Amino acid sequence: LIHKEMLAILAALTEIIKEKGGSETNTEYFLALMETIENVKENSELQASLALLNMGIKSVSEPVLRKKFNETAEVLLNLIVRFADGEGNVLKSIISCLSVVLRAQEYAAWKLSSTMKFFDAILTFTTHTKPKIRKAAQHAVGSILFGSCFMLPPSKEAEAPKIIHPGASRVAKFCVDKFKPEVINNNQTLLLHVLSMLQTVLSSFPRDDIKSISEHLLSIMTSGNILVRTNCFQTFHALFSSKSENLTAQLVGRLISALYEYRPNRSDFRQILAWITVMKAAHV
């Protein structure tokens, strides 16, 4: 049904663009779709329009996404609020579109509180109870921190610029808030969701934030929960394997010393294997 709706909307938009003497460019379709999304009343039409936008927005040029940033992001933010408890696929499309718009913004735009407001909207869903939505949000956060336009090399031959994404500390603070004792004691599932995201994004954090998060991971590992401890080992392994420039040799050395205190009992083969794998990555 949604595919039929998508084809009908696409045909209608093509007709409108042609009538106005347009040449059916990605920009024209993007602007027409945004107008449709703002004005459409039926949920089925809105879902189809969002699915089309999600398919095409990656082809829209960065200058256009910058020029139309605030109004586009505001529309998407309003839709996030509207569908926060609704159908998973719709939310996934909105989160994906918003992440593309955010990745196109220049470094200076991240100094504005409005940009962070849109980023926070995605961040909120990284611990969502529905796996589809949670994974989409976690993927979006990772793609923004590593794949924003100013984080990528200007050409294939050039090296990536050595800068830290302004959103990285925001994510670090979000994670630290979830490490509070009252959260850890009452909601282990939430903690596991945060650790899952950290395995992807921790290496992008500034040095002080990596140190702070590492200290929190070590303190969490003192709990008797094997699943939490295993996930902490995996998070450290991902950090060491990333060979991130934000990770100093001094901190790695201190973490190696600290992790010796967490050597599992020899009889626990799986935990010993996890521990050795982490220590190997740390030494390398």
Side-chain angles (χ1 to χ4, degrees), residues 29 39 74 82 86 97 100 122 129 165 187 196 224 259 271 277:
Y29 276 110
N39 297 310
E74 278 294 350
R82 180 173 159 186
C97 291
V100 173
I122 295 176
T129 50
H165 197 289
N187 198 338
S196 165
L259 284 164
Q271 285 286 299
T277 309

Side-chain angles (χ1 to χ4, degrees), residues 95 99-100 102-103 110 119 122-123 126 134-149 151-152 165 167-168 171 196-205:
I95 288 167
S99 83
V100 173
L102 282 166
R103 289 202 304 269
W110 286 88
F119 185 55
I122 295 176
L123 201 49
T126 56
R134 183 172 69 249
K135 284 173 184 168
Q138 290 187 3
H139 174 77
V141 168
S143 68
I144 289 165
L145 294 186
F146 291 104
S148 286
C149 59
M151 299 297 291
L152 301 171
H165 197 289
V171 183
S196 165
M197 177 165 68
L198 279 171
Q199 286 166 33
T200 309
V201 300
L202 181 53
S203 62
S204 73
F205 291 1

Side-chain angles (χ1 to χ4, degrees), residues 1-12:
L1 187 67
I2 194 165
H3 288 293
K4 271 188 180 175
E5 197 87 60
M6 285 165 73
L7 289 169
I9 291 167
L10 198 56

Side-chain angles (χ1 to χ4, degrees), residues 167-213:
S169 281
R170 195 78 158 202
V171 183
K173 185 183 180 302
F174 175 87
C175 294
V176 167
D177 285 345
K178 304 292 180 284
F179 291 148
K180 287 173 180 166
E182 59 270 26
V183 178
I184 292 169
N185 297 333
N186 299 325
N187 198 338
Q188 299 261 298
T189 309
L190 180 72
L191 183 58
L192 292 171
H193 295 339
V194 172
L195 291 172
S196 165
M197 177 165 68
L198 279 171
Q199 286 166 33
T200 309
V201 300
L202 181 53
S203 62
S204 73
F205 291 1
R207 288 175 179 183
D208 287 348
D209 286 331
I210 290 179
K211 182 173 176 287
S212 167
I213 295 281

